[in-house]
Amino acid sequence: MKKIILLGIIAVILCGCDVVDDVREIKKVCEPPSIHPRQVNVQEYNPKKAGAEIVARYEAVAGDNAVIDNDRLYVVDSSNALCHACIYDVSHSEMVFLNDLTFDIANVMPNYRCKSCKCIIPNSDKLLMLMSLDGTTDCNVFVSLNLSDGGLAIMDVSNDISDLDNVYEATYITTEHKLKLYYLYTIYPSSRLMLCEYVFDEIEHRFTLCDFSPVRNIFKQNGAYQWIWSSERCGYTEEGDWLICSSIIITPLDNPQITYQIYTSYLDLSVNYSFITLFSLGGDDVYNNMVLYVKQSKLNQYEFVKLRLIE
C-alpha cells in the first residue's frame, strides 16, 4: 500500500516538473540553422585554462564504476560475461593493487548478462552492487559479492525499494550510508527526473526511504565531494566552428558555497578519453587529491589521472 501511495505522489510531482531535455544540462546555443557552424572539441593541454594540472598517471584495470571507502578503492567491470571486482589500497602515495575477484551473474540470474554497474556499496566483508542486466527483459538487481571467497548472491530489496527497474542512475554516499536513486520517467513529450534517497542499514541490510523530490540534474558523488559533468561553448576556430569545452563542477559537501571547475578539455581528456568517474583520495588537501578514472577509447586502456587543482 505504501508503495502505491509513493508512486502516486511521484507521478503527481513529475507532472508539475519542468521539461528535462538533457539530464546532463548541456548548455545549448540557439541560432538559425543557416549559420550554425560545426562543433569541435578543444584539444589542448593548458593547466591554467583547465584549472588543474596532471601530476601523476597510473595504469588501471578495466571498469565501468568505482568507489573509495576506508582507504580502499573498488573498481567493478561488467563489460564481459565474466565480471571483475578489483581492489586497491590507496592509503599510500601510490595506488597498490590488492585483489581481483571474478564473478558470473548467470550463476544467480540464469540467461542474463551484465550491461553496467550503476552503484557500488562497500559493506564490511561484502561488496553490494546495483547491476543493470540484459536478458529476457532488461532489469536492475542488487547482488552481494563476498570479498573473502568470491561468493555471489541476489540481495532482495523488493520490500524496501519501489520500481527498481526504472532506476536510470545511482550513487552511494559511504560517509552518510545513503543511496541516491535517479528515476527517469517519460511523460510524453518530455522526460523528467525523480530523486529518491534511502538510508542503508549495514547491519540489517535494509534500505529506508528518507526523501524524494523532482530534480533537473544528476549529481554523482564519491567521498566528500559532489560533482556534475557539463560542457559549454568556449570560443571559435579560425574556420568559425564552435569550440566545446567539457568540464567537471565539484562541490564539497561540507561547504556547498565553494565550487571547483576542472575544464577537462584543456587536459586533453575529452577527445582521447572516455570519462568514467572522479574521486578524492581523502584528507584535507583537496588540491592534491582529485583523481579521474578514464578510458582511452582507441587503445582500450584505462588510467587513473591524479590532478592538482590550481587555485
Side-chain angles (χ1 to χ4, degrees):
M1 186 63 181
K2 289 182 179 179
K3 290 183 180 180
I4 295 175
I5 295 173
L6 172 60
L7 291 175
I9 294 173
I10 290 174
V12 171
I13 293 176
L14 284 171
C15 288
C17 294
D18 293 330
V19 174
V20 177
D21 294 320
D22 187 338
V23 296
R24 288 183 175 179
E25 283 291 306
I26 301 301
K27 296 183 180 179
K28 297 179 180 179
V29 179
C30 296
E31 294 182 11
S34 60
I35 61 171
H36 261 202
R38 185 173 62 95
Q39 300 181 21
V40 294
N41 288 320
V42 173
Q43 299 183 54
E44 177 185 350
Y45 181 65
N46 189 322
K48 186 175 180 180
K49 289 183 179 180
E53 65 176 341
I54 298 174
V55 295
R57 284 184 137 103
Y58 307 101
E59 183 179 345
V61 294
D64 53 11
N65 210 332
V67 70
I68 193 168
D69 181 54
N70 291 327
D71 292 330
R72 292 291 185 271
L73 173 65
Y74 303 90
V75 179
V76 174
D77 175 27
S78 59
S79 60
N80 299 299
L82 290 179
C83 302
H84 295 268
C86 297
I87 307 171
Y88 290 84
D89 180 357
V90 294
S91 62
H92 309 288
S93 58
E94 293 192 7
M95 301 178 185
V96 179
F97 179 80
L98 295 179
N99 198 5
D100 176 10
L101 297 170
T102 302
F103 61 96
D104 186 353
I105 198 71
N107 290 337
V108 292
M109 293 283 288
N111 302 320
Y112 280 85
R113 62 170 292 152
C114 291
K115 289 196 301 183
S116 66
C117 175
K118 292 183 180 294
C119 185
I120 305 170
I121 303 178
N123 179 221
S124 186
D125 61 343
K126 293 181 174 59
L127 204 61
L128 309 180
M129 298 166 286
L130 178 57
M131 310 296 289
S132 176
L133 305 183
D134 185 14
T136 307
T137 57
D138 292 352
C139 64
N140 295 323
V141 63
F142 268 103
V143 296
S144 174
L145 178 67
N146 192 307
L147 296 179
S148 60
D149 60 14
L152 192 69
I154 295 293
M155 181 181 176
D156 184 7
V157 299
S158 58
N159 292 327
D160 303 334
I161 300 177
S162 302
D163 207 15
L164 186 65
D165 288 341
N166 280 326
V167 171
Y168 183 75
E169 289 281 356
T171 187
Y172 184 70
I173 309 170
T174 57
T175 53
E176 300 178 17
H177 309 291
K178 185 178 289 185
L179 174 67
K180 294 188 175 185
L181 300 179
Y182 290 90
Y183 293 85
L184 181 64
Y185 294 97
T186 300
I187 301 176
Y188 186 82
S190 60
S191 296
R192 283 120 187 229
L193 284 168
M194 170 65 69
L195 169 62
C196 291
E197 298 181 84
Y198 294 83
V199 174
F200 179 52
D201 186 327
E202 295 190 349
I203 304 300
E204 298 294 332
H205 288 181
R206 295 290 306 275
F207 293 95
T208 302
L209 180 68
C210 61
D211 195 15
F212 61 93
S213 60
V215 293
R216 290 188 59 85
N217 298 297
I218 292 178
F219 286 92
K220 304 294 285 184
Q221 189 169 330
N222 263 328
Y225 302 92
Q226 178 178 268
W227 52 269
I228 187 170
W229 175 266
S230 183
S231 67
E232 61 194 62
R233 188 176 64 180
C234 56
Y236 291 94
T237 66
E238 292 182 356
E239 293 75 22
D241 296 332
W242 296 356
L243 281 175
I244 303 300
C245 291
S246 302
S247 67
I248 305 169
I249 301 172
I250 305 167
T251 304
L253 295 180
D254 59 355
N255 195 350
Q257 288 75 33
I258 298 177
T259 59
Y260 308 98
Q261 189 161 12
I262 302 174
Y263 284 92
T264 57
S265 298
Y266 292 105
L267 292 173
D268 200 20
L269 295 175
S270 61
V271 175
N272 298 323
Y273 289 84
S274 298
F275 177 75
I276 300 174
T277 192
L278 172 144
F279 54 89
S280 170
L281 294 180
D284 298 328
D285 187 8
V286 61
Y287 295 102
N288 291 290
N289 284 321
M290 285 296 170
V291 177
L292 293 175
Y293 177 39
V294 293
K295 174 186 178 182
Q296 189 172 356
S297 302
K298 291 183 179 180
L299 300 178
N300 198 32
Q301 294 177 347
Y302 292 76
E303 280 188 334
F304 296 120
V305 181
K306 189 176 180 180
L307 304 177
R308 183 182 71 83
L309 302 189
I310 299 174
E311 297 185 63

